[in-house]
Amino acid sequence: MQFEPFESKVWLSSPTMHGDELEYMKKAYDTNWMSTVGENIDEVEKLVCEYIGCKYSLGLSSGTSALHLAAKLAGIKRGDRIFCTDMTFAATVNPMVYEGAVPVFIDSERDTWNMDPAALEKAFELYPDVKVVVLVHLYGTPAKVDEIRAICDKHNAILIEDAAESMGATYKGVQTGLFGKYNAISFNGNKIITGSSGGMLLTDDEEAALLARKWSTQSREPASWYQHEYIGYNYRLSNVVAGVVRGQMNYLDEHIAAKKAIYMRYKEGLSDLPVTMNPYCEDIMEPNFWLSCLLIDEDHMCFQKRGDLTAEYKTESGKSCPTEIFETLAKYNAEGRPIWKPMHMQPIYKNNAFVTTKGEGEEFYFDNVGTDIFDRGLCLPSDIKMTPEQQDKVIQIIRSCFL
Ligand SMILES: *Cc1c(COP(=O)(O)O)cnc(C)c1O
C-alpha cells in the first residue's frame, strides 16, 4: 500500500501554544522581571498547588532538578540502596545517583506497565534496609498507588513520586504528585503542558519546601553578603519560562481531553489488529493519556533483533514489529518512539540489581515484563495538533505493516 507522506511532520508530542503564554512572557519582559524572581513564578506555584492539591510547590529549572532535590530531602547518602521503577526515562533515576544512590530496579506489571507491587515486596525481602522508593506513572497512567504505598509504609520507606509524565492524571480521584513525600512534575517541551523547560517539586512538608527553596538558589543564607552553610544549586525556574507555564495552566484540562480522544481513536481504529493499547485500570484511575502506545500480540510479531544502537527486522505477512512500524511511520513523516528502554537493560546500569517476579503464572518469551513490553511495544504519534484525518492515516499506515 502506498500513501503520500504527511506534508508537515506529525509529532510524538510537541508543544501546543495558545497565545496566553506570550502575554505572560511579555509581562515579564515589560516589567523587566527577566530573572528567577517575579509574578509569573509566584502565580504558577499557586496555580499548581490549587490544581493538584499539594500544600507547597517549588518552581525549578527542570523535572530532573526537582527529582535531585527530592533525593536530597529523602536523605539519600552515598552507597544507599534505593528501589526505582525499571521501565522509565533515565531522568527518574539519574538524580538519585547524583547523590550516590545505588538503584535496584523493580520490574513492571501488566495492568498499568508501572512498578509491580509484588516485585517491590520481593525486593524488600532481599534488601530490607532500603529507605527510598522512586515511583513513576509511565506515559501518564497512574501506578498501583495503594499497593505500593502500603508496602512502603510497612517497611518505613519514603516514597518519591515522579509524576513528570502524569500531571493531571488521577488515582481514585486523587491527583498524581500527591502520593509521595516529595514529588516531581516536569514542564519539558514534550510533556502534557510545557514551559519550554522547567519543573516543580511538590510536597506537604513546609520545612522540606523551605530547605529545597534555599538549595535551589545556591543555599544563600539571609545575610547581605553571600553566606553559605550548605552546598547549593542554580535550579530556580525562570520568570519568563514561568510565564509560559502560567499560560498553559489554562489549557491543561483541554490538553488531557485531546490526548484522551487520541487514545480512544487509536483503540477503536486498531481494534481489529493483533495489538492492544497501553493499559490502565478503568475503575480506579483516570490517566492523562500523555502518550498512546500499542503492544503487538506475541504470535503476530515478525522477526526483530535489536543491538545496542541499531535494529533489524524481517517483513512477514500478517505480522509486524515495533521497528517496522516505527520506520514505516518515519518514512511518511510521522514520529513514533520505541517504549522507554528499561533501566536494567541500559549499559550504564547493567551491574545494578533488578527484581522481577518473572511473570509467574504467565508464559512469555522474556524472563521479565519490562523487556517484553520494550520488545513488543511502540509509542505512537500522540500530538494534540494531529487532526482526526491525520490520525486515520497513521492508523492506515500501521495497518499496512500487518499486511
Ligand atoms: C521528562 C521526564 C523527567 C525529567 O523531566 P525534565 O523536566 O525533562 O528534566 C523525569 N522523569 C520522567 C519519567 C520524564 O518523562
Side-chain angles (χ1 to χ4, degrees), residues 62-64 67 88-89 91-92 136 162 164-165 186-188 191 198 340:
S62 65
T64 305
L67 284 159
T88 184
F89 185 53
T92 303
V136 180
D162 177 354
E165 299 178 0
S186 165
F187 304 122
N188 193 343
K191 300 288 155 54
W340 295 186

Side-chain angles (χ1 to χ4, degrees), residues 86-87 105-110 116 119 122 295 298 340-345 354-360 362-376:
D86 177 52
M87 196 165 72
F105 297 107
I106 310 296
D107 199 10
S108 313
E109 42 87 7
R110 296 280 174 192
D116 178 5
K122 185 173 162 186
L295 187 73
E298 273 168 86
W340 295 186
K341 185 173 180 173
M343 290 303 113
H344 85 274
M345 299 173 74
F354 169 60
V355 181
T356 174
T357 55
K358 292 206 166 186
E360 277 157 25
E362 277 183 289
E363 278 188 34
F364 56 96
Y365 184 72
F366 296 103
D367 65 357
N368 66 82
V369 174
T371 304
D372 183 51
I373 295 175
F374 175 61
D375 189 60
R376 294 193 285 125

Side-chain angles (χ1 to χ4, degrees), residues 10-18 191-193 248 251-263 265 288-291 381-388 390-391:
V10 176
W11 298 95
L12 182 78
S13 183
S14 72
T16 300
M17 295 293 131
H18 304 273
K191 300 288 155 54
I192 191 95
I193 59 168
Q248 290 261 288
Y251 299 91
L252 176 53
D253 289 335
E254 192 181 307
H255 285 199
I256 294 170
K259 291 278 191 185
K260 183 172 183 174
I262 287 171
Y263 179 95
R265 228 182 275 129
N288 70 2
F289 299 95
W290 175 56
L291 290 189
S382 303
D383 196 78
I384 59 177
K385 293 177 296 315
M386 174 171 65
T387 64
Q390 287 175 319
Q391 193 179 349

Side-chain angles (χ1 to χ4, degrees), residues 75-94:
I76 291 175
K77 302 277 180 308
R78 204 143 293 278
D80 285 356
R81 259 192 209 101
I82 63 153
F83 295 147
C84 181
T85 297
D86 177 52
M87 196 165 72
T88 184
F89 185 53
T92 303
V93 64
N94 287 343

Side-chain angles (χ1 to χ4, degrees), residues 122-147:
K122 185 173 162 186
F124 272 113
E125 282 163 25
L126 295 168
Y127 309 102
D129 298 335
V130 166
K131 286 286 162 264
V132 175
V133 175
V134 187
L135 178 69
V136 180
H137 307 291
L138 194 74
Y139 303 141
T141 299
K144 292 185 173 168
V145 173
D146 279 355
E147 288 88 336

Side-chain angles (χ1 to χ4, degrees), residues 210-270:
L210 288 171
L211 191 55
R213 188 168 290 255
K214 187 182 234 177
W215 288 337
S216 74
T217 50
Q218 302 290 14
S219 297
R220 286 178 62 181
E221 296 299 326
S224 60
W225 53 86
Y226 290 134
Q227 174 88 5
H228 306 284
E229 290 178 18
Y230 329 98
I231 287 290
Y233 305 86
N234 178 10
Y235 276 177
R236 199 68 166 118
L237 181 67
S238 143
N239 191 51
V240 181
V241 169
V244 184
V245 181
R246 188 178 174 187
Q248 290 261 288
M249 280 300 288
N250 297 332
Y251 299 91
L252 176 53
D253 289 335
E254 192 181 307
H255 285 199
I256 294 170
K259 291 278 191 185
K260 183 172 183 174
I262 287 171
Y263 179 95
M264 293 304 167
R265 228 182 275 129
Y266 275 128
K267 197 174 170 129
E268 170 71 29
L270 300 172

